[in-house]
């Protein structure tokens, strides 16, 4: 039987747990990241587009701000879209394959002003791409992701319980190797089935360990479950 180690924040693990348990998987909780809101101020601009790349960006933005209502909202991923709906906003468009890099192909026009509420640790790719295309881009850090550190013996005890480990962000991969020396971390991972929710997370795993994780069809926990079931 697959015993699944989930490494997201404690809040996310509690939300995702039932998706795995419904399929008969045992869930082992090992939160490797936690998110903390940041104080921020918005530029005094009228934005044409607002891009949310995660449900957390939605939460931490709308917990402190509202939009004027004229902006077109782009959500990267189904979960992000659902988070927007919970705050009463409709999604103008969602990238077909859920990857942030595809957003740049959805924005048309000249002198377009784009707001991107984001994590302080977020990648710069999308921002740089949009700027190179001539858009005015305003990136606002609304939250930060921090590693969760454990005593070595406690970390190894929990890790030993599972045979599949799921990484849902590059930050979780970094935190894994913040808890173990690189050589030991690689040795531990070689004994597991590593699943990365998306390509950016897998790129981080390859960069830090040289190991390649399995990738689901879509970057969602439902798709991760489907992938793991196919391994049986």
């Amino acid at each position: 039987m697959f015993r699944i180690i989930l490494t997201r924040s404690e809040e996310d693990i509690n939300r995702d747990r039932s998706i795995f348990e419904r399929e008969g998987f045992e869930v082992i909780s090992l939160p490797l990241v936690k998110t903390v809101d940041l104080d921020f101020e918005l530029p005094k601009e009228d934005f044409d587009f607002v891009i949310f790349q995660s449900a957390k960006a939605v939460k931490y933005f709308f917990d402190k701000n509202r939009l004027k209502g004229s902006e077109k909202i782009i959500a990267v991923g189904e979960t992000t879209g659902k988070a927007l709906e919970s705050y009463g906003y409709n999604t103008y468009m969602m990238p077909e394959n859920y990857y942030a890099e595809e957003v740049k192909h959805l924005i048309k026009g000249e002198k377009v002003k784009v707001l991107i509420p984001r994590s302080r640790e977020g990648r710069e790719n999308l921002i740089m791409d949009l700027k190179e295309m001539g858009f005015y881009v305003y990136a606002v850090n609304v939250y930060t992701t921090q590693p969760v550190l454990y005593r070595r013996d406690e970390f190894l005890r929990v890790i030993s319980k599972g045979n599949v480990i799921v990484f849902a962000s590059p930050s979780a991969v970094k935190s894994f190797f913040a808890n173990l020396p690189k050589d030991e971390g690689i040795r531990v991972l070689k004994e597991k089935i590593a699943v990365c929710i998306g390509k950016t997370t897998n790129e981080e795993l390859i960069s830090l360990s040289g190991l390649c994780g399995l990738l689901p069809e879509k970057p969602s926990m439902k798709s991760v479950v489907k992938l793991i079931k196919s391994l049986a």
Side-chain angles (χ1 to χ4, degrees):
M1 184 182 77
F2 290 123
R3 299 179 301 280
I4 317 297
I5 305 167
L6 298 183
T7 64
R8 308 181 86 171
S9 68
E10 185 173 2
E11 176 186 2
D12 288 338
I13 291 173
N14 290 336
R15 185 193 65 227
D16 295 337
R17 174 184 295 273
S18 62
I19 301 174
F20 291 86
E21 290 179 339
R22 281 198 300 266
E23 300 298 332
F25 297 136
E26 179 183 347
V27 172
I28 295 146
S29 178
L30 182 66
L32 288 182
V33 294
K34 60 182 179 180
T35 54
V36 179
D37 67 304
L38 296 173
D39 292 327
F40 61 92
E41 292 185 8
L42 296 181
K44 298 184 183 300
E45 301 283 349
D46 291 325
F47 296 102
D48 301 292
F49 289 87
V50 182
I51 302 173
F52 290 99
Q53 297 171 266
S54 70
K56 283 190 170 57
V58 173
K59 168 182 166 53
Y60 289 116
F61 180 84
F62 286 115
D63 278 354
K64 296 183 178 181
N65 281 276
R66 303 293 291 176
L67 293 175
K68 295 179 179 180
S70 58
E71 306 89 347
K72 296 176 180 177
I73 303 177
I74 295 177
V76 179
E78 182 180 355
T79 302
T80 306
K82 289 182 178 178
L84 281 164
E85 291 177 2
S86 73
Y87 282 91
Y89 288 89
N90 294 321
T91 300
Y92 169 72
M93 197 171 291
M94 188 183 298
E96 182 178 354
N97 292 320
Y98 299 94
Y99 289 119
E101 289 83 349
E102 297 190 12
V103 170
K104 63 186 178 183
H105 301 299
L106 305 179
I107 300 177
K108 308 294 181 183
E110 297 181 357
K111 298 183 178 179
V112 173
K113 294 180 181 179
V114 182
L115 173 67
I116 305 180
R118 63 190 290 249
S119 163
R120 187 168 64 187
E121 293 74 28
R123 298 195 309 153
E124 302 294 323
N125 302 49
L126 176 62
I127 296 169
M128 297 305 299
D129 286 344
L130 293 177
K131 286 183 176 180
E132 289 176 2
M133 294 173 69
F135 301 127
Y136 298 94
V137 183
Y138 301 82
V140 178
N141 297 330
V142 299
Y143 72 98
T144 182
T145 301
Q146 300 176 351
V148 177
L149 301 178
Y150 297 83
R151 297 192 319 272
R152 178 178 175 276
D153 59 339
E154 179 185 4
F155 189 81
L156 290 174
R157 179 182 60 79
V158 176
I159 283 285
S160 68
K161 295 180 179 179
N163 49 22
V164 178
I165 183 167
V166 178
F167 293 112
S169 69
S171 295
V173 177
K174 291 177 183 177
S175 181
F176 179 90
F177 285 99
N179 276 279
L180 289 177
K182 182 176 180 179
D183 290 347
E184 186 174 17
I186 291 173
R187 185 168 64 253
V188 168
L189 286 179
K190 284 183 176 180
E191 297 173 353
K192 315 290 181 187
I193 298 171
V195 178
C196 293
I197 198 169
K199 63 182 182 181
T200 57
T201 301
N202 195 43
E203 287 168 0
E204 190 68 35
L205 180 62
I206 293 170
S207 173
L208 291 180
S209 69
L211 303 175
C212 184
L214 300 179
L215 286 172
E217 183 179 352
K218 293 181 179 180
S220 70
M221 282 298 167
K222 289 183 179 178
S223 195
V224 167
V225 169
K226 182 179 178 181
L227 169 63
I228 296 172
K229 285 178 64 178
S230 73
L231 302 176

